[in-house]
Amino acid sequence: MVIVSNGPGEISTWVKPVVEKLNSKIEAIHKTKSVLIKKHLVLVPCPNATGSEHEVAKKWNYFETISRPKSFWHLLIKPHKYHSFSNEGIVIFLGGDQFWTVLLSLRLGFQHITYAEWVARWPHWNNRIAAMSNKVKKSIPKSIRNRCTVVGDLMADLNIQGSNEYSLTKDKWIALLPGSKKAKLSVGIPFFLELADQLSKLMPECHFLLPVAPTTCIQELEYFSNAQHNSIASKYKSGIKQISSSFENKECKKLITLNGTEIELIEDHPAHKALIQCQLALTTVGANTAELGALGIPMIVIVPTQHIHVMEAWDGLMGIISRLPILKYFIGILISLWRMRKNRYMAWPNITANKMIVPERIGDIYPKDIAKEAFEWISSPERLKGQKEDLRSLRGQPGAAERMAVEIINLIPKSFVNDKNV
């Protein structure tokens, strides 16, 4: 069984819950029949990847082998040099470019199932398609539509993971999510530290938490907050004074800015139990906007476009424009015009709804501007309630990971459920 994925968002919110359900079902099969199912994780080349996804997946102890993105082409050419694959098996797409799984399944001679969030790009090459919605299924040619089953939104299962076991004792908590990629952190850390300082002035009673992404660490937060290592930090008025143990929660560490603002750092992942108790999240673009949306947490999405040389390392439209010699200096204007004329959005809730559900602040923006807007949101419980209700209306029914696991199990050849490897 080969699972293909790419970046930190997909690894955490797609691969992990699906494999956990698979493990439960495999254990159930073991009670009546003898079966050994080996799981291999193949990480594919992707601009959204951080380079440490394999370390995150390794901690779960779910996979017999994990292949890094740099090994993908070698694995595709000589797969048996890397792993002892069986003659039959399944390739499962859970992130990245769908074409990579098409190639890998053809090379290995395995059956192929794709989780199609927005579109199934190679339906004729898929044995099975697990669609997020009926809209995806309807886009598949009628002649092969019977290959598709609507399993739902894997993100919807995040709601099950949230609870109040992780108690934030004080009121008015704001979550800070500056990103996980180094290109985003180099801008996000200085920006968000000053943002916390500015908001703390407006609302001294407000408290902050920062979930440390599994693909980064506290040392990287310190690195990017230091102007000696990160030139962008010199353009902002805050930084890290110290990081110490938290008195409120021994599981956490506390970051104190140069201006005395305290920020709880949560290293446990996922941090859903703490996040769902926050009134508002301030976040950059990426899979985290889908995660926050699935949890029903109101948010403001922030993309400061003034740091052009750093944005050249970004993916998508911003990265493309940032690398163009002349156009990159007009990146903020170009993105704004593109979004207005094409009615295009960058936050996942807005993309899903095809309308503005959460505010997107993109352009030449500064912490003081966002602090004022965040203050207005926090001071307006009805607005927060309205956005939360809008986010909840977008969520599908929980159970997508369970249904996805069933589709995968159904692809296992019956002859393999007898001391054979898949």
Side-chain angles (χ1 to χ4, degrees):
M1 186 178 291
V2 180
I3 298 165
V4 176
S5 193
N6 59 332
E10 290 78 5
I11 288 289
S12 300
T13 60
W14 289 7
V15 174
K16 192 171 190 289
V18 169
V19 173
E20 286 175 348
K21 294 296 182 183
L22 276 173
N23 286 344
S24 297
K25 294 191 174 301
I26 291 168
E27 288 178 11
I29 293 173
H30 267 298
K31 292 180 180 179
T32 58
K33 299 178 182 179
S34 179
V35 59
L36 174 61
I37 298 178
K38 296 180 179 179
K39 294 182 288 294
H40 307 274
L41 177 64
V42 174
L43 299 170
V44 294
C46 176
N48 294 316
T50 64
S52 56
E53 285 79 8
H54 64 286
E55 294 292 345
V56 175
K58 188 177 180 180
K59 294 176 183 177
W60 302 336
N61 294 318
Y62 291 162
F63 308 101
E64 182 171 342
T65 60
I66 300 175
S67 296
R68 300 189 187 190
K70 64 181 181 180
S71 302
F72 178 72
W73 292 108
H74 296 288
L75 184 147
L76 191 64
I77 296 169
K78 296 182 178 181
H80 295 286
K81 183 179 179 181
Y82 283 82
H83 309 302
S84 55
F85 293 109
S86 302
N87 294 327
E88 294 182 89
I90 308 167
V91 174
I92 306 160
F93 172 81
L94 286 174
D97 190 321
Q98 294 179 24
F99 189 58
W100 301 145
T101 48
V102 171
L103 289 178
L104 193 57
S105 62
L106 287 172
R107 180 68 181 88
L108 295 173
F110 285 7
Q111 295 193 78
H112 179 205
I113 180 170
T114 289
Y115 176 65
E117 185 180 26
W118 306 112
V119 63
R121 301 191 182 280
W122 308 94
H124 290 281
W125 294 95
N126 299 148
N127 296 97
R128 294 295 299 169
I129 299 165
M132 183 180 78
S133 65
N134 281 311
K135 183 178 179 181
V136 175
K137 184 171 183 176
K138 289 178 181 178
S139 69
I140 296 171
K142 289 184 179 180
S143 61
I144 57 170
R145 200 171 291 171
N146 61 346
R147 299 182 190 179
C148 180
T149 299
V150 177
V151 298
D153 187 355
L154 289 175
M155 284 288 187
D157 285 349
L158 296 181
N159 300 304
I160 300 173
Q161 299 179 39
S163 72
N164 286 323
E165 294 174 13
Y166 190 107
S167 180
L168 300 177
T169 57
K170 299 175 182 177
D171 296 329
K172 294 185 179 177
W173 282 86
I174 294 180
L176 307 174
L177 291 89
S180 57
K181 293 174 63 178
K182 292 182 179 180
K184 290 183 179 179
L185 288 171
S186 62
V187 177
I189 294 301
F191 190 100
F192 277 67
L193 291 178
E194 184 175 328
L195 173 54
D197 284 339
Q198 293 285 349
L199 194 47
S200 187
K201 291 179 183 178
L202 295 173
M203 299 186 73
E205 72 276 19
C206 194
H207 306 280
F208 302 93
L209 67 85
L210 192 159
V212 181
T215 49
T216 185
C217 60
I218 289 178
Q219 288 72 27
E220 280 201 322
L221 305 187
E222 293 179 296
Y223 179 89
F224 287 113
S225 71
N226 191 326
Q228 292 182 343
H229 304 301
N230 178 21
S231 60
I232 292 176
S234 63
K235 302 181 184 299
Y236 293 88
K237 299 176 182 178
S238 189
I240 297 177
K241 181 179 181 180
Q242 68 178 71
I243 293 177
S244 58
S245 297
S246 172
F247 293 107
E248 294 185 17
N249 194 321
K250 294 181 180 179
E251 297 178 4
C252 298
K253 289 187 173 63
K254 181 175 290 185
L255 182 156
I256 302 176
T257 71
L258 295 176
N259 294 294
T261 303
E262 297 183 353
I263 302 173
E264 294 284 325
L265 302 177
I266 300 178
E267 296 179 88
D268 290 341
H269 188 81
H272 302 156
K273 296 176 183 179
L275 283 171
I276 61 172
Q277 298 174 70
C278 293
Q279 283 70 46
L280 181 68
L282 305 174
T283 179
T284 186
V285 292
N288 46 339
T289 62
E291 195 169 349
L292 291 169
L295 293 169
I297 302 169
M299 70 188 89
I300 299 174
V301 180
I302 307 162
V303 184
T305 61
Q306 58 264 37
H307 306 292
I308 299 298
H309 64 290
V310 172
M311 294 182 66
E312 291 179 21
W314 286 36
D315 53 284
L317 175 73
M318 289 180 289
I320 294 171
I321 296 177
S322 297
R323 288 187 284 272
L324 298 176
I326 298 175
L327 294 182
K328 67 180 183 180
Y329 296 106
F330 304 99
I331 185 170
I333 298 172
L334 288 169
I335 291 174
S336 298
L337 289 173
W338 173 74
R339 291 169 67 242
M340 287 188 291
R341 291 174 66 90
K342 301 293 184 181
N343 195 29
R344 302 297 292 269
Y345 303 103
M346 304 187 76
W348 284 110
N350 297 339
I351 294 171
T352 303
N354 198 30
K355 64 179 182 179
M356 190 69 76
I357 298 292
V358 303
E360 298 181 2
R361 299 298 171 246
I362 299 167
D364 193 5
I365 54 176
Y366 295 88
K368 193 172 183 179
D369 305 324
I370 303 301
K372 289 180 180 178
E373 183 171 4
F375 172 74
E376 292 172 358
W377 276 93
I378 290 291
S379 303
S380 306
E382 288 303 313
R383 289 182 70 193
L384 290 173
K385 182 180 178 182
Q387 190 187 138
K388 186 182 284 285
E389 290 174 352
D390 287 340
L391 291 171
R392 284 175 175 167
S393 70
L394 296 176
R395 296 183 308 206
Q397 292 297 317
E402 174 81 17
R403 290 185 284 273
M404 181 73 187
V406 169
E407 290 295 308
I408 295 169
I409 291 293
N410 287 341
L411 274 180
I412 298 175
K414 290 184 173 62
S415 60
F416 274 61
V417 187
N418 183 20
D419 290 321
K420 290 192 175 184
N421 303 336
V422 178

